[in-house]
Amino acid sequence: MLKRWNLRVWPSRLLLRYLVVAALFVFFVTNYTAWDHIALLPARLSARGPHPIQKLMADAVARHEELLAKRSYDLETAAARYRERRGRHPPPGFDRWFQATVDHDAILVEDYFDRIYKDLAPFWGLDREVLVNRANTWDWVVRVRNGIANGDGNTTDRVPWLQLWTKLVDEFAVHLPDVDMPINYMDEPRLLVPHDEIAKLVEKEQKTRAMPPPNRVTSKYIGLAGVDASHNRPYRARWYGTKNAYWNLAVAACGPDTPAYGVKAVKDFSAPAEMPHDWQPDYAYHGFIQNWTASMDPCLQPHLRQLHGSFIEPLSLSTTKELIPLFGGSKLMLNNEILIPGAMYLTDDEFYSGGESHGPEWSQKRNGLVWRGDASGGRSRNTTWHHFQRHRLIDMLNHTTVSRMEARRMRAKTFELPSPSIYHSSRRAWGRVGSWLREFADVGFVHLCPPNECDFLPQFFAETPSKPMSEQYEYKFLPDADGNSFSARFRGFMRSTSLPLKATIYAEWHDDRLIPWLHFAPLDNTFQDLYAVLEYLGDNDGPGDRAAAFMAQQGQEWAERVLRREDMKLYVWRLLLEWARLCDENRDTLGYVADLL
Ligand SMILES: *[C@@H]1O[C@H](CO)[C@@H](O)[C@H](O)[C@H]1NC(C)=O
Ligand SMILES: *[C@@H]1O[C@H](CO)[C@@H](O)[C@H](O)[C@H]1NC(C)=O
Ligand SMILES: *[C@@H]1O[C@H](CO)[C@@H](O)[C@H](O)[C@H]1NC(C)=O
Ligand SMILES: *[C@@H]1O[C@H](CO)[C@@H](O)[C@H](O)[C@H]1NC(C)=O
């Protein structure tokens, strides 16, 4: 998928930037050797050289620079890169959008918008009228008419998402054609179209992809007056509720060549959570995540059917196999929602954003890790809770639990200690992981469940006083795990001076613009790599500490460049231009071609 970048378009200031980053990196790598604590390294690898995380970081720097080298600074280049990557003319309004990227000093790299095209592709395969009608009659819709955005739908007793998204769209609605953006009001994604059907729809999209000669291209939308006047009844899809195992619905969307294909849901979860044996996935390098995209894919990890709350018992479940248009803040890679930035990223609520405090300098931080949050992830029952991702994470970081496991050489209900054949560790060998966590980790659930719904949990977890984000930022490490869907704190964590460590199965709008091992540290959804990552990065004053400081700083600076409210606005603006074109009767001839005339 990677196109080689063209040296001619590499501006000198980028080159300079590259040299600075490269020099920094070489400095930190060479310094590393001097500081090498043999005892803390996997024996097999230390004989051969650098820690695997160093290699992954070097690759990440290279990947980042490779993408940045494709930055567009003028409209002609931006439009040309669009045509090259998308195989179509840009949508009408592209010029005004481009101008807004300039006005906001945004970094425009075409690849950062790939998500939009992955999400929209199957919708090109649907009959246009059907599509437009379904979007128009949905229960909650952000409607743009005559340059004004309005939120349409009953939001009584609901979170203010419709309002937050409407407000964002209204900031640029004046530059949009009429468009309907139907939104998913549930935490959980709802569309799971079987694999073969999606493959057919995507194939249809490929057939529609064309660049007609400029004189045949129009910038005139027919618009939505037709569907507004028709007063159609809302379309009612067939919904599957909580009686169904979500896993079974989900794997129907996996390709026949994937390990999860045909694997059935677990019915009885009462046994301890089962860790995959000697788990060394293709997407990892010496046990550390190398391909972040693949690490989010349940089709590659059949064990997730009993290691993630979404597949065990989601709090709410209402899902369909039909392709209907819905926009939402997160989804599994298998889902068919169209992603927009999560509404929680648009609030000023300090609970999610951490407010304006981003934390002290690295050297002033506690060398440790902190986590506070709800015991969410799914509906807790005495027979299932120990399979949930958050419960696993908190138990793995609980020094009492781990010390007890080390002393008695037994497993916990929630996890097994990682395989020493994959992760060599002196702490592990000496049975000192628990005593190390006692100093290092400050974690706990703020809230276990609604009253009387989980009497079985307090013997395993203590409700722990919450800690404002600003105080959490006094620690170096911030692990982040999915709740009922994506964790809405990630953007706040990215903007902090601390280092986020993240495992997830939920895709988000920003995935194509963040580089793991440069902007944050990725974790496997089993968390089997957790101790090894912390053992390296948490090595105070050693090379790992410098690596962590480097990523924390790079991540924070990058978040201030590409995860701003302006960037979320530009993403949704670009998406709605595409969506409006896709919904228009003229969709095959609509385009921006002024640069070619
Ligand atoms: C709006 O939703 C609330 C809460 O679900 C409900 O009580 C109310 O009847 C709804 N209003 C309308 C106009 O449908
Ligand atoms: C990473 O994994 C994804 C999804 O499995 C795959 O499409 C992609 O080609 C992989 N990338 C690399 C660099 O191997
Ligand atoms: C779970 O609770 C039910 C009753 O609420 C009880 O009968 C059962 O033994 C419990 N199971 C476990 C594994 O604790
Ligand atoms: C840690 O585990 C012990 C034993 O399972 C439990 O009693 C304690 O409440 C846990 N601590 C937290 C903060 O959950």
Side-chain angles (χ1 to χ4, degrees):
M1 214 168 71
L2 266 178
K3 304 230 173 63
R4 288 202 69 77
W5 34 265
N6 184 337
L7 270 180
R8 276 177 304 136
V9 300
W10 197 343
S12 56
R13 61 181 168 130
L14 253 182
L15 185 60
L16 191 68
R17 208 187 119 94
Y18 174 74
L19 290 176
V20 170
V21 176
L24 265 173
F25 196 73
V26 167
F27 171 77
F28 127 102
V29 168
T30 42
N31 243 316
Y32 170 81
T33 341
W35 283 89
D36 196 345
H37 285 226
I38 298 295
L40 290 180
L41 281 173
R44 199 162 32 118
L45 285 159
S46 63
R48 275 202 240 131
H51 192 281
I53 290 179
Q54 282 187 293
K55 180 211 151 34
L56 292 166
M57 286 178 68
D59 290 351
V61 170
R63 167 87 183 126
H64 184 54
E65 295 302 329
E66 187 180 4
L67 282 171
L68 263 185
K70 297 200 269 182
R71 179 171 177 184
S72 302
Y73 291 93
D74 57 74
L75 179 57
E76 287 67 32
T77 315
R81 291 231 165 89
Y82 181 103
R83 292 189 185 95
E84 184 191 331
R85 199 159 178 84
R86 312 298 169 204
R88 297 177 189 275
H89 293 300
F94 186 77
D95 47 348
R96 186 64 200 74
W97 177 83
F98 173 82
Q99 188 52 45
T101 68
V102 174
D103 296 344
H104 290 306
D105 193 23
I107 298 181
L108 171 49
V109 171
E110 185 57 31
D111 308 46
Y112 293 167
F113 298 89
D114 282 356
R115 178 88 256 160
I116 292 178
Y117 301 87
K118 289 177 223 157
D119 291 349
L120 292 184
F123 290 97
W124 280 92
L126 287 187
D127 179 65
R128 190 204 66 87
E129 238 171 283
V130 168
L131 183 66
V132 170
N133 191 38
R134 291 178 184 184
N136 188 261
T137 58
W138 182 248
D139 300 325
W140 296 275
V141 184
V142 179
R143 286 187 210 287
V144 176
R145 296 292 182 275
N146 303 315
I148 295 167
N150 274 302
D152 191 352
N154 183 353
T155 56
T156 312
D157 302 332
R158 286 180 185 268
V159 283
W161 294 354
L162 183 65
Q163 293 87 325
L164 287 163
W165 279 320
T166 302
K167 190 157 168 269
L168 185 76
V169 173
D170 201 42
E171 287 173 20
F172 55 89
V174 62
H175 303 296
L176 291 180
D178 289 358
V179 67
D180 286 329
M181 180 167 102
I183 66 173
N184 174 13
Y185 233 111
M186 282 174 45
D187 271 355
E188 296 86 356
R190 310 185 62 180
L191 311 176
L192 274 170
V193 182
H195 178 266
D196 292 353
E197 234 174 292
I198 284 296
K200 276 188 210 128
L201 292 167
V202 169
E203 203 181 305
K204 275 194 191 167
E205 185 273 340
Q206 272 158 5
K207 292 205 181 109
T208 69
R209 233 183 264 174
M211 280 188 275
N215 59 3
R216 297 235 318 273
V217 172
T218 163
S219 59
K220 271 221 166 63
Y221 285 87
I222 306 265
L224 299 176
V227 65
D228 283 343
S230 65
H231 300 291
N232 286 316
R233 290 219 208 158
Y235 175 70
R236 296 296 171 209
R238 171 163 182 214
W239 298 102
Y240 294 81
T242 42
K243 283 207 177 66
N244 301 273
Y246 193 67
W247 175 263
N248 288 341
L249 294 165
V251 289
C254 290
D257 50 349
T258 61
Y261 184 78
V263 175
K264 291 271 175 289
V266 174
K267 288 212 176 82
D268 180 357
F269 290 96
S270 50
E274 200 179 317
M275 297 291 127
H277 186 65
D278 266 340
W279 180 231
Q280 297 200 62
D282 291 344
Y283 57 71
Y285 173 74
H286 293 291
F288 300 93
I289 303 286
Q290 184 167 36
N291 183 337
W292 172 244
T293 314
S295 81
M296 291 172 22
D297 188 352
C299 300
L300 304 178
Q301 304 165 72
H303 52 265
L304 287 182
R305 71 197 168 129
Q306 48 93 38
L307 289 177
H308 199 289
S310 299
F311 300 125
I312 296 158
E313 191 179 349
L315 271 196
S316 42
L317 172 61
S318 172
T319 203
T320 182
K321 297 180 186 175
E322 295 171 61
L323 187 62
I324 59 172
L326 276 186
F327 291 68
S330 76
K331 65 172 180 178
L332 305 178
M333 284 165 70
L334 305 170
N335 287 118
N336 308 103
E337 271 85 353
I338 301 163
L339 287 180
I340 50 180
M344 281 88 98
Y345 292 152
L346 303 172
T347 71
D348 298 324
D349 188 341
E350 298 207 356
F351 182 77
Y352 292 112
S353 69
E356 283 319 300
S357 129
H358 300 306
E361 272 181 51
W362 189 260
S363 59
Q364 305 299 313
K365 288 179 194 288
R366 272 183 68 159
N367 187 41
L369 161 157
V370 64
W371 192 91
R372 287 293 185 282
D374 279 349
S376 59
R379 188 173 306 284
S380 272
R381 299 186 190 275
N382 67 352
T383 46
T384 59
W385 65 271
H386 47 286
H387 295 268
F388 293 174
Q389 67 279 5
R390 286 193 170 190
H391 299 64
R392 176 164 63 255
L393 175 68
I394 297 314
D395 219 15
M396 284 185 80
L397 292 168
N398 179 326
H399 67 88
T400 314
T401 305
V402 176
S403 296
R404 197 180 289 167
M405 290 167 81
E406 289 182 314
R408 301 187 196 161
R409 296 187 179 275
M410 53 179 256
R411 59 158 298 158
K413 241 184 142 178
T414 46
F415 73 104
E416 284 170 273
L417 288 170
S419 163
S421 68
I422 304 174
Y423 302 102
H424 304 262
S425 153
S426 55
R427 281 194 195 115
R428 177 72 206 286
W430 293 103
R432 305 200 56 83
V433 178
S435 56
W436 162 62
L437 289 174
R438 184 195 198 97
E439 305 300 320
F440 194 80
D442 173 357
V443 302
F445 289 125
V446 172
H447 182 68
L448 286 179
C449 66
N452 305 324
E453 278 187 22
C454 62
D455 298 342
F456 45 88
L457 277 187
Q459 57 170 310
F460 299 98
F461 302 103
E463 281 197 354
T464 311
S466 68
K467 230 185 226 311
M469 294 273 261
S470 56
E471 282 177 36
Q472 297 186 29
Y473 296 162
E474 289 166 13
Y475 293 71
K476 286 182 179 174
F477 301 102
L478 306 171
D480 192 36
D482 296 336
N484 296 327
S485 65
F486 75 116
S487 147
R489 278 170 292 194
F490 188 55
R491 180 168 173 263
F493 283 2
M494 283 298 304
R495 297 173 75 205
S496 80
T497 52
S498 303
L499 179 65
L501 312 170
K502 188 167 178 72
T504 186
I505 56 170
Y506 283 97
E508 291 187 64
W509 76 280
H510 56 222
D511 293 343
D512 292 312
R513 55 185 64 199
L514 298 180
I515 311 278
W517 297 120
L518 177 58
H519 300 134
F520 66 95
L523 294 175
D524 192 63
N525 283 293
T526 56
F527 297 124
Q528 66 160 4
D529 48 352
L530 175 69
Y531 299 142
V533 167
L534 288 174
E535 192 160 330
Y536 178 62
L537 297 178
D539 165 22
N540 211 4
D541 300 325
D545 183 68
R546 281 193 297 279
F550 179 76
M551 286 189 276
Q553 187 207 352
Q554 291 288 314
Q556 188 203 14
E557 284 175 11
W558 190 239
E560 294 305 335
R561 298 302 313 271
V562 304
L563 298 183
R564 303 165 304 164
R565 186 182 170 88
E566 292 90 321
D567 299 303
M568 297 193 270
K569 171 174 118 173
L570 289 164
Y571 184 91
V572 179
W573 182 342
R574 169 87 173 253
L575 169 62
L576 288 181
L577 289 179
E578 298 289 358
W579 177 242
R581 167 164 69 176
L582 173 46
C583 290
D584 199 88
E585 276 173 62
N586 273 342
R587 71 184 185 184
D588 294 316
T589 49
L590 274 169
Y592 165 79
V593 289
D595 60 319
L596 301 179
L597 294 169

